[in-house]
Amino acid sequence: MAMPIDATQTPAWAKLAKLRDELRVDFRTWFETDPERAERHSYQAGELFVDLSKSYITDEIKEALLELARDVQLSERRDAMFAGEKINVTEGRSVLHTALRQPEGNSVYVDGADVVPGVHEVLARIFDFADRVRSGQWRGITGKPITTIVNIGIGGSDLGPVMAYEALKPYVQDGLECRFISNIDPTDLGEKLRGVDPETVLFIVASKTFTTLETLTNARQARAWLLEELQAAGIDAEGAVAKHFVAVSTNLEKVAEFGIDPLNAFGFWDWVGGRYSVDSAVGTSLAIAIGPQGFADFLGGFNTMDEHFKNAVDEENVPLLMGLLNIFYCNFMGAATHAVLPYAQYLHRFPAYLQQLTMESNGKRVRWDGSDVTTTTGEVFWGEPGTNGQHAFYQLIHQGTQLIPADFIAFSNPIYALKDGEFDQHELFLGNFFGQTKALAFGKTEEEVRAEGTREEIVSARVFPGNKPTTSIMAPALTPAVLGQLIALYEHITFVQGIVWGIDSFDQWGVELGKQMANQLTAAVAGDEAEIAKQDPSTRALINFYRDTRF
């Protein structure tokens, strides 16, 4: 892969710095003097309507941002990703999560081989398995159908499936429930198995190599729990693991050693990063829960956004524009964090999902050629559903001193259309969605506060400065297809930022050192005095406190 272009040395970067210095954000004036502002800065991508008019976008800034994209050859990098070139340079891999949602009959080549037929072969096996579980054809050791699916994974093997399952609960088949175990804290497993019937549970162990410490530790504990519970009920547990465990893995030898039939292992490829894998076999629990057609619609939503990102003109390309705006906020306006605020309770895990997607991808200090980055990279992504967040942290966004760009997400049609006479609760809910972005943009002046009869000594406390940037994203409803579009939108936003920064957004070496040290410290934690003595004073004191206070 070619050397990264230093964005800070491009003509566009200099233009953006000049525009930043000259920028006087005044949303009230901008909208008053430009009646078409909302129309000119709103876009359609698939079923998503995206309003950027309350962002720090002007015609000049937009033009300079698109020039920056051209200067860093962003479209060439995008095309290289879709074509299967090995843009993950530190691991020598292609980056082809987009191939996971390619329609059957399309072609994408890696090392001269078309990968799409293999994708659909695995999908067909997953869909067949999902149908057997959903229909009751797949049964546990005592002949009872499955009612509870427990996914055991961590990172991308957990965050994606649990987020999507929570988002699409209205589409889950009656009589089925999914639970998710990820944390190595034994509390997680203990709580998730509370009330589970060992005769009707199916465990999905998601680990590509089948060596992930947390996942395999939890899987072994779940296996022990299953056998103990069956035996305590007087049930012959021989062969139970094969009936109650399947795997998402490519290490069939390890799978078989665990007791899982390799025929019940669903694989994926090294060109699928964990945080990009919910639409692969990692989503098997979701495919069972919402069914093959629902999962196919989910994949179709991803592909819709892929095609938009690949083919839409730059001036109307939503992931491109949103990614470039994030660059402007982060690198020119000093924003360190980015809020994602879904006005949809079903999306309550979406901000947590985006934390891994964005921060594991773009939390880098060197560029893809190993040289130091030349500017700030990454943002802290965070958020909670509205209206809960309004009563928690919106104060900081409205009247705090930090610039916090925020993405607001909402849907026109609720799952539960609750009415009390003429009162529509969803309309009250959306009133908050619309009201918050309006308040953030236009604020309240001293004159307006005084006109309300406010005492002079507290006028300043009730002023809202406004001019806070937001993006509003709306869709008709939260369907599997729309969820796929939302996820892919942020995948491509993340890609855009990574290319501008010249970093490899697809490795994650930063998570490795802590895991290595954890393995090295196990003996010390268990009480090996020689190993304890090797530790630094702080770690040694902490271990000793643990040893002294453990019951």
Side-chain angles (χ1 to χ4, degrees), residues 53-318:
S53 65
K54 296 189 189 79
S55 69
Y56 287 0
I57 193 169
T58 65
D59 292 339
E60 295 78 14
I61 289 173
K62 179 178 178 180
E63 181 181 342
L65 287 171
L66 292 176
E67 182 181 334
L68 177 65
R70 292 189 291 271
D71 285 350
V72 298
Q73 300 179 352
L74 198 147
S75 63
E76 290 89 339
R77 305 297 183 212
R78 176 194 61 201
D79 294 345
M81 176 181 71
F82 278 103
E85 293 184 26
K86 295 181 179 179
I87 65 170
N88 179 353
V89 293
T90 69
E91 296 178 309
R93 295 174 178 173
S94 299
V95 175
L96 273 180
H97 45 281
T98 55
L100 297 170
R101 50 263 195 159
Q102 281 287 334
E104 197 165 11
N106 286 11
S107 295
V108 178
Y109 289 90
V110 175
D111 295 329
D114 184 2
V115 301
V116 177
V119 167
H120 282 273
E121 179 184 344
V122 173
L123 266 180
R125 292 184 58 234
I126 293 169
F127 287 175
D128 176 69
F129 178 68
D131 278 334
R132 283 188 285 153
V133 174
R134 290 165 62 84
S135 68
Q137 182 182 348
W138 179 284
R139 294 175 179 266
I141 190 70
T142 62
K144 293 182 179 180
I146 300 300
T147 61
T148 306
I149 296 101
V150 178
N151 187 88
I152 302 175
I154 198 166
S157 296
D158 170 75
L159 285 165
V162 71
M163 178 276 293
Y165 173 75
E166 292 292 324
L168 299 175
K169 269 191 173 177
Y171 297 87
V172 175
Q173 177 173 290
D174 289 344
L176 281 178
E177 177 195 15
C178 290
R179 300 186 182 192
F180 298 85
I181 297 171
S182 58
N183 200 333
I184 199 171
D185 181 342
T187 303
D188 193 20
L189 185 139
E191 286 293 331
K192 297 298 172 52
L193 295 184
R194 186 190 297 269
V196 170
D197 183 349
E199 297 181 59
T200 62
V201 66
L202 174 71
F203 293 96
I204 300 175
V205 184
S207 171
K208 184 188 295 187
T209 62
F210 224 72
T211 58
T212 307
L213 173 65
E214 295 92 339
T215 300
L216 268 295
T217 299
N218 280 328
R220 285 191 291 267
Q221 293 291 346
R223 180 180 59 188
W225 171 89
L226 174 72
L227 299 178
E228 289 170 6
E229 290 290 313
L230 290 173
Q231 290 163 359
I235 298 167
D236 182 359
E238 185 177 354
V241 173
K243 291 286 189 180
H244 291 271
F245 277 81
V246 299
V248 174
S249 179
T250 53
N251 192 337
L252 298 185
E253 183 178 348
K254 292 284 187 184
V255 167
E257 287 177 9
F258 187 88
I260 298 174
D261 187 341
L263 294 176
N264 298 324
F266 307 101
F268 54 113
W269 302 268
D270 67 2
W271 36 260
V272 180
R275 56 194 175 276
Y276 297 90
S277 67
V278 66
D279 47 346
S280 72
V282 166
T284 297
S285 58
L286 182 66
I288 297 170
I290 68 174
Q293 186 56 58
F295 199 82
D297 293 343
F298 181 55
L299 296 179
F302 279 94
N303 185 250
T304 294
M305 190 58 64
D306 292 344
E307 291 299 309
H308 173 86
F309 181 50
K310 186 164 58 172
N311 298 317
V313 297
D314 289 354
E315 291 76 11
E316 299 175 7
N317 194 308
V318 173

Side-chain angles (χ1 to χ4, degrees), residues 354-373:
L354 293 183
Q355 286 172 357
Q356 186 197 22
L357 173 64
T358 60
M359 294 160 68
E360 193 168 84
S361 294
N362 287 341
K364 308 291 171 63
R365 55 173 292 278
V366 297
R367 301 191 295 170
W368 70 62
D369 65 346
S371 60
D372 290 343
V373 297

Side-chain angles (χ1 to χ4, degrees), residues 340-353:
V340 178
L341 309 171
Y343 278 66
Q345 184 61 30
Y346 284 122
L347 285 180
H348 69 104
R349 292 295 293 165
F350 193 57
Y353 174 79

Side-chain angles (χ1 to χ4, degrees), residues 482-544:
V482 165
L483 181 63
Q485 291 167 42
L486 273 173
I487 297 171
L489 169 64
Y490 282 92
E491 287 178 349
H492 298 320
I493 289 170
T494 301
F495 172 85
V496 167
Q497 293 179 253
I499 294 301
V500 173
W501 288 325
I503 60 180
D504 184 346
S505 298
F506 304 100
D507 63 14
Q508 59 278 338
W509 297 108
V511 306
E512 296 300 320
L513 180 59
K515 292 196 296 186
Q516 292 170 8
M517 288 192 171
N519 290 332
Q520 294 166 6
L521 279 163
T522 300
V525 175
D528 186 318
E529 294 297 336
E531 290 299 321
I532 293 173
K534 294 178 183 178
Q535 306 308 318
D536 65 272
S538 173
T539 303
R540 187 165 58 247
L542 290 168
I543 292 173
N544 286 333

